Amino acid sequence: MAARSRLTPEREAELYEAVLDLLREVGYDALTMDAVATRTRSSKATLYRQWGSKPELVAKALRHAKPGSVAEIDTGSLRGDLRLMLERSDTCQLERDSALMRGLAHAVTQHPDLHQALRELLIAPEMTGLDELLRRAVERGEADAGNPALKLVPHMLIGAVVTRQLIDDKPLDQEFLMTYLDAVVFPALGV
Amino acid sequence: MAARSRLTPEREAELYEAVLDLLREVGYDALTMDAVATRTRSSKATLYRQWGSKPELVAKALRHAKPGSVAEIDTGSLRGDLRLMLERSDTCQLERDSALMRGLAHAVTQHPDLHQALRELLIAPEMTGLDELLRRAVERGEADAGNPALKLVPHMLIGAVVTRQLIDDKPLDQEFLMTYLDAVVFPALGV
């Protein structure tokens, strides 16, 4: 049996980037381990040994691409924290991510194993980070502990991201997200 | 050349329902005019003569399935209007629609002709109905004419619909939508 080889961080990053490129190009259904192996000139055996399955590989590639975790954000105010959270993505990235997210929102309805991998590896850690950020806001007295909107921040933000192009036929950009924060998220949170 | 035959309203409804069933089962990409013809026991010639193209057929099927137009709603208050708008869909329908909408949100990024058909036949008329509903609220003094959230109501509502399952792993239901109205939409609109 071959010795389990470790990938270098550079090689791992390269693989993750290729997975996301393929996801954007062909979507989750058509993304095969074969296609990833060909694109990255690696063997399918390596991919399976390293990641176990396609949903896990996709979830880890998405986690890798994120510009830092929400848990690291602590500007001292709720408005500052949420602004920074959105400012960290550049516009070009946002546009690409919104297409990716629409594709994945569809794919999870068809593939429970993808849904589970995304929840465990991507959504749950971010929810924990966001809950922490909101908990601090409540402690500082910026938001009311009983406000039901505290549990709805991800729904508001993801809604803005996925609907901009669909409803307004305009690209998603920072300016729209900041308008949305001011007009929807902050009033709902009462800040 | 064969005479152009009119479909009966019953037959038309049957065809639209079959198109939506197929959309839910296989998604937009895999939905072919052949599949629609087979499922509905009609000829492809009839489908093309009646609807011109697949995007148009899909957009009209979606419009047909809607439980009335937003433009018909006028309860006398903004809160009443928005509640009624959401109450008209039954829970089972909502669940089915949210899967359908996630699929379509993805498909429009790949198919500009579908995006255009949906915008013209489905989104634009509803936006006009919603704008009218909101205009009356402003006239009654319930909402401020300069509130930027007036333009963001569809983003908020669609966000709630598409993210419920993804974020919370719970089915979309009336109760969640009413909570979302109270916690997000009404505070943003200042009512």
Side-chain angles (χ1 to χ4, degrees):
Chain A
M1 200 187 268
R4 175 187 280 242
S5 60
R6 293 287 301 160
L7 299 180
T8 64
E10 294 73 24
R11 180 66 179 142
E12 209 180 328
E14 208 175 281
L15 275 162
Y16 287 145
E17 200 40 62
V19 170
L20 297 185
D21 283 343
L22 275 167
L23 257 186
R24 294 184 188 100
E25 287 166 29
V26 304
Y28 182 80
D29 285 333
L31 176 89
T32 61
M33 290 299 244
D34 272 316
V36 176
T38 304
R39 177 72 64 99
T40 60
R41 293 167 202 232
S42 47
S43 75
K44 260 170 67 174
T46 303
L47 298 179
Y48 279 109
R49 198 169 52 228
Q50 194 83 18
W51 287 282
S53 72
K54 171 174 145 180
E56 202 178 333
L57 173 57
V58 167
K60 291 215 171 138
L62 287 163
R63 187 171 69 179
H64 183 83
K66 287 180 4 62
S69 166
V70 172
E72 299 155 11
I73 296 177
D74 189 2
T75 66
S77 82
L78 180 53
R79 296 177 81 95
D81 284 357
L82 291 178
R83 280 179 191 281
L84 181 59
M85 196 174 111
L86 298 182
E87 276 166 9
R88 289 194 311 184
S89 329
D90 64 67
T91 304
C92 171
Q93 190 65 38
L94 278 174
E95 192 52 30
R96 286 165 45 154
D97 284 353
S98 74
L100 205 60
M101 282 182 55
R102 283 190 296 265
L104 288 170
H106 176 54
V108 295
T109 65
Q110 315 289 321
H111 305 282
D113 53 353
L114 173 66
H115 196 178
Q116 196 187 335
L118 288 177
R119 287 186 61 77
E120 281 174 15
L121 296 169
L122 204 67
I123 299 177
E126 288 301 282
M127 290 300 115
T128 307
L130 186 60
D131 280 346
E132 179 59 23
L133 185 159
L134 293 168
R135 196 190 53 73
R136 289 197 308 264
V138 169
E139 275 187 2
R140 285 189 302 255
E142 290 179 88
D144 187 84
N147 186 340
L150 289 169
K151 291 276 167 220
L152 299 170
V153 174
H155 308 73
M156 296 185 235
L157 293 177
I158 294 177
V161 169
V162 298
T163 55
R164 175 61 163 170
Q165 183 82 55
L166 191 67
I167 301 285
D168 304 310
D169 209 9
K170 289 185 184 156
L172 180 69
D173 56 22
Q174 291 286 357
E175 191 187 345
F176 175 72
L177 287 176
M178 293 301 149
T179 301
Y180 195 84
L181 270 187
D182 286 335
V184 175
V185 182
F186 294 154
L189 292 172
V191 297
Chain B
M1 198 187 268
R4 174 187 280 241
S5 61
R6 291 287 300 160
L7 298 180
T8 64
E10 292 73 24
R11 180 66 179 142
E12 207 179 331
E14 208 175 282
L15 276 162
Y16 287 145
E17 199 42 58
V19 170
L20 297 186
D21 283 343
L22 275 168
L23 257 187
R24 292 186 190 100
E25 288 166 30
V26 304
Y28 183 80
D29 285 333
L31 176 89
T32 61
M33 290 300 243
D34 273 316
V36 176
T38 304
R39 176 72 65 100
T40 60
R41 294 164 201 235
S42 47
S43 75
K44 261 169 65 173
T46 303
L47 298 179
Y48 279 110
R49 196 169 55 226
Q50 193 83 16
W51 288 282
S53 72
K54 170 173 145 180
E56 202 178 331
L57 173 57
V58 167
K60 291 216 169 139
L62 286 163
R63 186 170 69 177
H64 182 82
K66 286 181 5 65
S69 166
V70 173
E72 299 155 10
I73 295 177
D74 190 1
T75 66
S77 82
L78 180 53
R79 295 177 82 95
D81 284 357
L82 291 178
R83 279 178 193 279
L84 182 59
M85 195 174 113
L86 298 182
E87 275 166 9
R88 288 194 311 184
S89 328
D90 65 67
T91 305
C92 170
Q93 191 64 40
L94 278 174
E95 193 51 32
R96 286 165 45 153
D97 285 353
S98 74
L100 204 62
M101 281 182 55
R102 283 190 296 264
L104 288 169
H106 176 53
V108 296
T109 65
Q110 316 289 323
H111 304 282
D113 54 353
L114 173 66
H115 197 177
Q116 197 187 332
L118 287 179
R119 287 186 61 77
E120 282 174 15
L121 296 169
L122 203 67
I123 299 177
E126 288 299 283
M127 291 298 116
T128 306
L130 186 61
D131 280 346
E132 178 60 23
L133 184 159
L134 294 168
R135 196 190 55 71
R136 289 195 309 263
V138 169
E139 275 187 2
R140 286 189 301 256
E142 291 179 87
D144 187 85
N147 186 340
L150 288 169
K151 291 276 166 221
L152 299 170
V153 174
H155 308 73
M156 296 186 235
L157 293 178
I158 294 176
V161 169
V162 298
T163 55
R164 175 61 162 170
Q165 183 82 56
L166 192 67
I167 302 285
D168 304 310
D169 208 10
K170 290 186 184 156
L172 181 68
D173 57 22
Q174 291 286 357
E175 193 188 344
F176 175 72
L177 287 177
M178 293 301 149
T179 301
Y180 195 84
L181 270 186
D182 287 334
V184 175
V185 183
F186 295 153
L189 291 172
V191 297

